[in-house]
Amino acid sequence: MSTTRLVTTEDGLRLTVEEHGDPARPCVVCVHGYPDDRSLWNGVVARLSDRYHVVTYDVRGAGSSDTPTDRAGYRLHHLTDDLVRVVDAVSPGKGAHLLAHDWGSIQAWHTVTDRAVEGRIHSLTSISGPHLHHVAHWTRQRLRLPTPRRLSELLRQLSRSGYIGFFRLPHLPELAWRSGLLPVLMGRLDASARDRRPRVSDAVSGLGLYRANMSAGGGGTHGIHTTVPVQVLAPTRDAFVTPALQGELPPGVPGPRVRRVTGGHWLPARCPELVARRTAEFVDGLEGEPRHVPDTREKGRFADVLVVVTGAGSGIGRATALAFAAQGARVVAADVDGAAASETARRAPTAGRVTAYTVDVSDGEAMHRFAEDVQRDHGTPDVVVNNAGIGLTGPLLDTDEADLRGVFDTNLWGVVHGCRAFAPRMIERGEVGRIVNISSAAAHIPLPGLTAYSAAKAAVSALSERLDGELAEHDITVSAVLPGIVNTAIPASTRFVGGTPAERRRRRRRAAGLYRLRGLQPDRVAAAVLRVVEHPTPVTTVGFEAKAGLLLSRLLPGPLRRLAATGPRVR
Ligand SMILES: NC(=O)c1ccc[n+]([C@@H]2O[C@H](COP(=O)([O-])OP(=O)(O)OC[C@H]3O[C@@H](n4cnc5c(N)ncnc54)[C@H](O)[C@@H]3O)[C@@H](O)[C@H]2O)c1
């Protein structure tokens, strides 16, 4: 059931406002962009109106609202004033949460950064529409400090903003809309626009938005201060606003959480389920608590990120779990040794940030049950680090089948199970995900005595590379991290095969000595994992020996093999 009313603006225009759901519930006002009308939100409204008082309206110049008579009527201050009038009309004295897209989001940003509306707007979920001053600031930052990554981000955004210059030209954009060229072009640029047919009259009159507001050249970051918590949903395939621009938020905004979500510019129309779910979570979190969301940047680089680490009871896994936790992530630390996982949880910098689970990664069914438990207790992970592994050294022909199966079951099948248990959930959620598999430099360097171990790790590297391709369309990356010799407990737990018991004891002592002498700490691998999660690369080596070994194995495979056949044993 919905009701419609008209709200009159300060300059006498009538806006058509539609209300859904129980007005006694928390109010969510949805603001559409260009060239859309309030029907953009139909799918979202259908999913939210049983829990909230959901309000949509046609902004000035769109749908069945009145159109300004001149360009000045599209200035941002009119749009923000309209928005506040709608909020006051539908939720008098109570205020509202905003959900806004494209130009709707631009005006919502400018509204929440206006001190005068303090107390009336409780949150903003922003999609594909940054604060205009922030765009100018973001651009200047990249020009001032032009690292290769920042420059490529800037070029990518500039190439996607070209249409703005076109929209400001006289007559031509009108012609392009009327001839039907622009909808076709938009569909080519952004798949989410393909079946959208905006009303030509809305598209033409809405050009006033660009002509009235895009000439000032932006301001500084002054004015980008607000007490209103903001959540940004940044679609990864947006043809007009890059995730890099949306993902970096201005200082002075509390609780900005940026979620990179799989989709194009018209996310609200194409993925209403995802938009409704994330909006509801955000609004519920604020309604349940006093209206304050802590500034996520104060809590670290991975605030609000859920990470699963296997083999987290020792060495690299423990260091990785604690490094993520120190950067604000919620961590699920899993290990076959439950007591060791609990010890990792106990060492967390903040109590409760790391939760211990007992699971054997080599057991496929147990891993699926574990994934179900994680989903139930914490939600879908953003990051999965398949790290659990064991050592095995000795000639392949002297190794019995049980030991061979053991190393493959844990080191390879453990990774397979980890990927298969969590990736479908990450795909279903529709947001960016990261899987990091801990392989080994031994996968690529011929080392004597490590035939089975190296084969399992080489398979992990190959699997990571191929799965990365398979999951690319879902914005889930799969990376392999290849450590060199890292000083952990692994020599103590490695199975040494062949020779007499005394010889095996001696080899174990030698291996432990070598690991200690090399002295590479697991923290280094953990730091590399965190970097890979922020900036995914297919293969990352850790330690000089891993880098040099990988290079040599590519440049001089023959001599390296001969050296391995005759040289000293490494493990
Ligand atoms: N230490 C190194 O030099 C080195 C080098 C390259 C790669 N790696 C790889 O790094 C990963 C971590 O090794 P580490 O050096 O930290 O070893 P570690 O022995 O210190 O830690 C491994 C952890 O994995 C857990 N584990 C073992 N089997 C498991 C199973 N079936 N299910 C769940 N947990 C299990 C262990 O209980 C332990 O807590 C392994 O995959 C290893 O192959 C280590």
Side-chain angles (χ1 to χ4, degrees), residues 117-419:
V117 304
E118 229 158 67
R120 280 188 276 180
I121 308 293
H122 306 313
S123 76
L124 163 62
T125 296
S126 152
I127 307 167
S128 298
H131 196 298
L132 291 185
H133 291 177
H134 177 58
V135 178
H137 172 72
W138 184 88
T139 306
R140 269 199 306 273
Q141 265 189 331
R142 268 143 195 83
L143 291 173
R144 261 186 219 141
L145 204 69
T147 61
R149 183 157 55 80
R150 286 175 147 220
L151 265 184
S152 91
E153 285 172 358
L154 180 59
L155 289 176
R156 207 169 303 141
Q157 181 55 54
L158 286 177
S159 70
R160 294 183 193 190
S161 303
Y163 73 95
I164 295 175
F166 177 71
F167 280 176
R168 293 181 55 217
L169 294 176
H171 311 305
L172 273 181
E174 280 86 345
L175 196 65
W177 277 120
R178 293 204 168 102
S179 66
L181 187 69
L182 269 183
V184 174
L185 198 64
M186 273 163 47
R188 288 269 162 84
L189 289 173
D190 189 305
S192 67
R194 239 158 243 168
D195 54 6
R196 299 198 66 72
R197 287 281 171 272
R199 281 201 329 193
V200 173
S201 56
D202 288 355
V204 166
S205 61
L207 289 166
L209 292 165
Y210 295 88
R211 292 168 177 166
N213 297 299
M214 299 304 255
S215 52
T221 42
H222 67 270
I224 313 185
H225 290 283
T226 179
T227 54
V228 177
V230 179
Q231 145 173 268
V232 173
L233 304 181
T236 49
R237 283 139 213 225
D238 191 321
F240 308 103
V241 191
T242 57
L245 171 58
Q246 282 209 74
E248 206 173 281
L249 289 168
V253 179
R257 25 178 103 187
V258 180
R259 301 197 175 277
R260 298 196 171 200
V261 296
T262 304
H265 185 74
W266 276 273
L267 192 77
R270 284 303 183 113
C271 307
E273 165 66 36
L274 188 156
V275 171
R277 176 165 36 87
R278 282 304 184 191
T279 305
E281 279 172 13
F282 194 48
V283 170
D284 286 352
L286 294 163
E287 287 290 327
E289 300 288 319
R291 292 205 171 101
H292 170 72
V293 169
D295 188 331
T296 49
R297 283 163 307 180
E298 272 170 26
K299 292 195 290 167
R301 285 147 65 197
F302 295 98
D304 208 33
V305 168
L306 178 63
V307 183
V308 171
V309 184
T310 67
S314 171
I316 293 168
R318 174 174 283 170
T320 302
L322 294 178
F324 272 115
Q327 290 299 333
R330 291 175 295 137
V331 180
V332 167
D335 203 289
V336 69
D337 179 346
S342 298
E343 175 56 22
T344 302
R346 202 190 57 76
R347 294 188 194 187
T350 308
R353 196 166 278 172
V354 178
T355 314
Y357 284 77
T358 308
V359 68
D360 179 349
V361 296
S362 67
D363 179 341
E365 276 179 26
M367 281 297 278
H368 282 279
R369 279 197 303 277
F370 167 57
E372 273 166 28
D373 292 348
V374 171
Q375 185 78 46
R376 187 196 56 229
D377 299 345
H378 307 277
T380 308
D382 302 284
V383 180
V384 174
V385 184
N386 289 306
N387 160 78
I390 54 174
L392 172 69
T393 172
L396 184 85
L397 302 186
D398 295 346
T399 310
D400 63 35
E401 201 173 310
D403 284 336
L404 289 176
R405 284 193 188 282
V407 82
F408 279 99
D409 282 351
T410 300
N411 292 10
L412 173 58
W413 276 101
V415 174
V416 174
H417 294 320
C419 294

Side-chain angles (χ1 to χ4, degrees), residues 477-497:
T477 57
V478 185
S479 305
V481 170
L482 280 53
I485 301 169
V486 187
N487 191 13
T488 68
I490 206 166
S493 60
T494 292
R495 182 118 174 78
F496 285 80
V497 173

Side-chain angles (χ1 to χ4, degrees), residues 9 48 87 184 223 238 313 381 399 472 475:
T9 68
L48 288 182
V87 170
V184 174
D238 191 321
T399 310
D475 291 314

